[in-house]
Amino acid sequence: MAKANTINPVRGTQDIFGEEQERFAHVVSTFDRVRRLYGFQGVQMPVIEPTAVFARSLGETTDVVSKEMYSFDDRGGDSITLRPEFTAGIARAFISNGWQQHVPLKLAAHGPLFRYERPQKGRYRQFHQIDAEIIGAAEPQADVELLAMADQLLHELGIADGVTLQLNTLGDGDSREAWRAALIDHFEAHRGALSEDSQERLQKNPLRILDSKDPRDRPIANSAPDIDAFLTDEAKAFFDAVCAGLDAAGVAWTRNSRLVRGLDYYRHTAFEFVTDRLGAQGTVLAGGRYDGLIENLGGPSTPAVGWAAGIERLAMLLDGVVAASIDAAIVPMGDAAEARAAALAAELRRAGLAVELGYKGNMKKRMQRANAAGARYAIIIGDDELARGEAALKNLADGEQRDVKLDALAEALSQ
Ligand code: ATP
Ligand code: MG
């Protein structure tokens, strides 16, 4: 419990430590490995952006813009927002830096995001995402490649079982407009039975009613027309190519015709990887195609597709990630040994071995700490050993102990 006069953390932030940190780091390093296999370059993005970057791209009626952004005027009077997502900032960077000369561009990013939400398990005000974007590719093969990478990532994390790829299309501009009109007709006919939020969304953003979680909206959303009847030939051909490409790549998926993404900029492919292992926070990875976004922000017309996944949610699904164990703990006994131990630790570390050097304590204490740290070996040096230029090397797994020359330790530990 925090004491009365201590400073509390900001609500919805986390101090990630110990095993939780190991899981978190494992997600990031696995992503970093897999994104290289698919030729995605890393990119570092600012945490702060002009508020307009998000207000203009996400759409004024979305929850993120209307309720969740951390925005403030800086000391110069400019409106700044802590990024609530990566995509809009990456689109801004694409325009600012003239990255169209590099298309097709495959980018990968990770880091903290900020949304003013009601904190609960799997939902924080500062959370973290890994993010992947393919910019400047209009072909359905880009969608397939991006989804295959997500699928491989989940497999390599060992969490693919119980996570399902749900796929939908939102069509092109014409399909979406025709579908939108049909949805407005359908929802108008049931207006009185809809939740207040959905009545408000009805004219501005009727697609959002489809994924409403309000039980009053569910039956009306479920009986709404799906997009299939409104798809143009081009939009249908595009979706068919994505589905066929996923099948060919061995990526399992299911159709969810109610799936729409919260943000306004999506076209064609929309998808979520969903699990029932995280309660209400079941979406672990989500994204889609956003062909209109870069042009909306004042850049050249540029097709693009991307996804983001919550690192905390992925980390919660991992089982049994254990801290990388250290190779050896050095246990010196006596002043001379203590002095030699520091130099020995430096030598072994330069040889690439993970070594722990207790700062104080008797032999028993130090051996306890070596075991607690998960060390494979203890290197015990007393005055006698030191005089012979040796140390006692004890295997902490089986208790076996033998004397080894100090200059042969690195080799003995590497075996
Ligand atoms: P949700 O429906 O759960 O609010 P969303 O549609 O707002 O999700 P996206 O903007 O698509 O989420 O973000 C992609 C992923 O980032 C989500 O699938 C989730 O894993 C993660 N995420 C989003 N918001 C949070 C949050 N507040 N805390 C932790 N993770 C989050
Ligand atoms: Mg949300």
Side-chain angles (χ1 to χ4, degrees):
M1 274 308 277
K3 294 204 189 77
N5 65 347
T6 57
I7 299 174
N8 290 316
V10 174
R11 193 163 134 76
T13 63
Q14 316 165 80
D15 304 308
I16 302 170
F17 172 75
E19 197 204 327
E20 220 183 329
Q21 151 62 21
E22 291 299 333
R23 292 161 176 260
F24 190 103
H26 182 67
V27 171
V28 174
S29 62
T30 306
F31 174 64
D32 212 50
R33 189 164 48 74
V34 172
R35 61 99 177 156
R36 286 170 201 273
L37 301 177
Y38 286 78
F40 283 67
Q41 307 179 44
V43 62
Q44 308 294 334
M45 299 299 305
V47 171
I48 51 177
E49 290 281 354
T51 298
V53 167
F54 306 109
R56 270 213 257 155
S57 54
L58 308 191
E60 301 287 350
T61 59
T62 58
D63 285 352
V64 171
V65 172
S66 63
K67 303 184 210 150
E68 298 175 358
M69 290 206 304
Y70 277 91
S71 301
F72 61 96
D73 289 343
D74 71 6
R75 288 170 195 276
D78 292 325
S79 181
I80 304 289
T81 293
L82 302 185
R83 64 183 178 200
E85 59 139 47
F86 277 106
T87 307
I90 289 175
R92 193 276 307 143
F94 183 89
I95 299 167
S96 308
N97 300 295
W99 284 345
Q100 66 263 32
Q101 61 181 312
H102 303 301
V103 300
L105 189 57
K106 297 195 269 187
L107 296 176
H110 66 86
L113 294 305
F114 303 84
R115 296 184 191 178
Y116 195 79
E117 303 210 60
R118 196 165 67 76
Q120 53 201 288
K121 182 182 170 226
R123 189 176 295 285
Y124 315 96
R125 290 183 176 175
Q126 176 176 334
F127 63 103
H128 302 78
Q129 283 182 344
I130 50 177
D131 180 274
E133 314 280 348
I134 303 180
I135 306 179
E139 294 73 24
Q141 290 89 317
D143 307 50
V144 172
E145 184 178 44
L146 188 80
L147 281 163
M149 176 169 73
D151 184 69
Q152 182 164 348
L153 174 69
L154 298 179
H155 277 92
E156 298 214 2
L157 289 171
I159 60 180
D161 275 357
V163 178
T164 312
L165 166 56
Q166 300 191 352
L167 188 67
N168 198 17
T169 177
L170 305 174
D172 50 18
D174 290 344
S175 330
R176 194 172 156 145
E177 272 317 299
W179 185 36
R180 191 174 181 278
L183 287 174
I184 291 180
D185 286 349
H186 173 80
F187 291 131
E188 278 294 358
H190 301 87
R191 176 178 261 281
L194 288 169
S195 67
E196 294 75 25
D197 273 356
S198 289
Q199 293 190 20
E200 214 168 288
R201 289 196 280 244
L202 210 166
Q203 289 293 337
K204 281 198 215 144
N205 202 344
L207 271 64
R208 291 294 315 284
I209 301 177
L210 290 178
D211 74 347
S212 164
K213 291 184 178 98
D214 193 303
R216 290 170 289 174
D217 296 333
R218 277 324 318 161
I220 306 168
N222 289 338
S223 64
D226 57 39
I227 196 172
D228 296 41
F230 305 95
L231 288 177
T232 61
D233 290 346
E234 291 82 1
K236 182 167 186 324
F238 190 96
F239 189 51
D240 289 345
V242 172
C243 298
L246 290 173
D247 291 341
V251 177
W253 58 277
T254 59
R255 175 76 191 274
N256 175 357
S257 64
R258 308 290 93 168
L259 192 156
V260 292
R261 301 287 304 133
L263 312 178
D264 279 355
Y265 54 61
Y266 285 101
R267 291 287 178 277
H268 290 293
T269 319
F271 55 84
E272 293 185 351
F273 285 81
V274 183
T275 173
D276 54 16
R277 287 172 56 199
L278 295 177
Q281 272 58 252
T283 303
V284 292
L285 185 153
R289 182 164 273 284
Y290 54 93
D291 289 348
L293 174 64
I294 291 174
E295 195 172 7
N296 269 356
L297 283 175
S301 167
T302 310
V305 58
W307 57 249
I311 297 176
E312 290 88 348
R313 292 191 195 174
L314 292 171
M316 285 190 298
L317 293 173
L318 295 178
D319 337 284
V321 174
V322 281
S325 70
I326 59 172
D327 294 307
I330 302 180
V331 180
M333 292 179 303
D335 291 345
E338 192 86 51
R340 185 67 183 85
L344 181 62
E347 277 165 41
L348 294 174
R349 287 166 176 160
R350 287 188 198 111
L353 294 155
V355 172
E356 196 54 68
L357 184 59
Y359 302 116
K360 62 172 185 202
N362 59 25
M363 170 146 176
K364 187 169 166 228
K365 278 259 156 54
R366 291 198 195 215
M367 289 301 283
Q368 277 169 357
R369 280 208 303 268
N371 277 302
R376 290 163 50 227
Y377 289 94
I379 300 169
I380 303 160
I381 350 178
D383 290 341
D384 293 350
E385 284 90 355
L386 205 53
R388 287 184 315 231
E390 290 182 344
L393 185 62
K394 181 170 184 173
N395 182 327
L396 294 177
D398 60 16
E400 213 170 285
Q401 184 170 324
R402 66 195 162 101
D403 289 342
V404 177
K405 288 276 178 219
L406 290 177
D407 57 12
L409 273 171
E411 212 195 310
L413 288 168
S414 303
Q415 279 157 12

